[in-house]
Amino acid sequence: MAAPTSDTREIRHRDAERTRAEILDVATEEFADKGYAGARVDEIAARTSTTKRMIYYYFGGKEQLYLAALENAYSVIRGIEREVDVDDLDPVEAIRRLAELTFDHHESHPDFLRLVSIENIHRAEHLAKSELLPGLATPAVDVLGRILERGQAAGQFRTDADALDVHMVISAFCVFRTANRYTFQAIFKRDMLDPARRDHYRKMLGDLVLDYLTAR
């Protein structure tokens, strides 16, 4: 039998990557909807063009698949943060741009927020095992840090502002708006994801962060 050509190996590699990506997409939905304990690898296999055995081949087991889904979900937002071009913007506009980017991402990726909530229930015991964990944190803080340094040097921002604190404030607003949508609506009869209020909340987030950063 002839050895596989470079073209054949490339096709197999692309097929494997597509299969792995499909598994991750479905696994993300399953874990987000049913939690770590409730999700079933059999169900994930049934929804993809593969088998349970193949899932274990690619990922090793249920916990490794769950961790891969978590890492992938975090990598998406971190990749966006890393690529956003804010270095040429005025610091005030750069902060607003980064806050709005987080706002848009969290609104359009509710599965990410559910996964994060589930992992917090587990006290991050799975995420703590991730070899990618250091890289999942640094992009957002690094980008914010550069913006804050420029704003502080220009006298626009308070000098005691901390990048991680600002990241927390932005995340808290964006996560609460999406993750608590249904309970907030049941209690207060207001849908925080109502399209008619979207622009208001998006601007409100930027205003809140900048009011803090420019307070004297």
Side-chain angles (χ1 to χ4, degrees):
M1 181 180 295
T5 65
S6 59
D7 287 344
T8 301
R9 287 193 294 269
E10 178 63 23
I11 291 171
R12 288 177 179 175
H13 176 72
R14 289 199 301 268
D15 288 344
E17 287 299 306
R18 279 196 295 268
T19 300
R20 193 176 188 279
E22 181 186 12
I23 293 169
L24 273 180
D25 287 344
V26 173
T28 297
E29 293 177 8
E30 283 292 308
F31 286 122
D33 287 342
K34 300 173 184 175
Y36 177 72
R40 295 288 179 266
V41 177
D42 285 328
E43 180 63 24
I44 295 170
R47 292 183 55 194
T48 59
S49 55
T50 186
T51 63
K52 183 176 180 179
R53 181 178 179 181
M54 187 60 69
I55 290 175
Y56 284 162
Y57 170 78
Y58 281 120
F59 296 97
K62 180 180 178 180
E63 182 179 20
Q64 293 93 326
L65 176 59
Y66 170 72
L67 180 56
L70 268 174
E71 291 172 337
N72 185 64
Y74 271 104
S75 295
V76 170
I77 179 61
R78 295 299 174 253
I80 294 171
E81 290 164 343
R82 187 183 293 109
E83 293 173 9
V84 64
D85 185 13
V86 295
D87 290 330
D88 294 329
L89 296 176
D90 175 81
V92 169
E93 182 58 32
I95 285 291
R96 191 177 290 279
R97 173 81 174 273
L98 194 62
E100 291 173 348
L101 179 147
T102 305
F103 182 98
D104 295 343
H105 172 272
H106 285 18
E107 180 183 74
S108 60
H109 292 79
D111 283 351
F112 168 68
L113 302 186
R114 285 194 288 268
L115 277 177
V116 172
S117 297
I118 290 165
E119 185 59 6
N120 272 287
I121 291 173
H122 291 281
R123 299 187 175 123
E125 64 179 84
H126 303 99
L127 192 58
K129 301 174 184 177
S130 171
E131 296 180 359
L132 302 179
L133 185 58
L136 298 178
T138 52
V141 179
D142 287 349
V143 172
L144 270 170
R146 294 200 308 271
I147 298 171
L148 292 182
E149 286 176 3
R150 290 195 293 117
Q152 289 164 344
Q156 295 172 289
F157 296 158
R158 57 195 297 168
T159 57
D160 62 345
D162 176 80
L164 194 55
D165 285 345
V166 176
H167 175 66
M168 178 184 67
V169 171
I170 294 172
S171 295
F173 186 101
C174 297
V175 170
F176 184 92
R177 175 174 171 264
T178 302
N180 292 57
R181 175 188 188 183
Y182 298 107
T183 52
F184 195 89
Q185 185 174 9
I187 296 169
F188 298 108
K189 311 305 178 188
R190 176 176 289 183
D191 182 3
M192 291 186 287
L193 266 65
D194 181 350
R197 293 183 177 273
R198 185 178 191 275
D199 290 343
H200 164 72
Y201 285 134
R202 200 169 184 261
K203 182 177 183 300
M204 179 180 171
L205 170 61
D207 290 345
L208 287 170
V209 177
L210 287 170
D211 281 350
Y212 165 70
L213 288 175
T214 56
R216 293 292 188 263

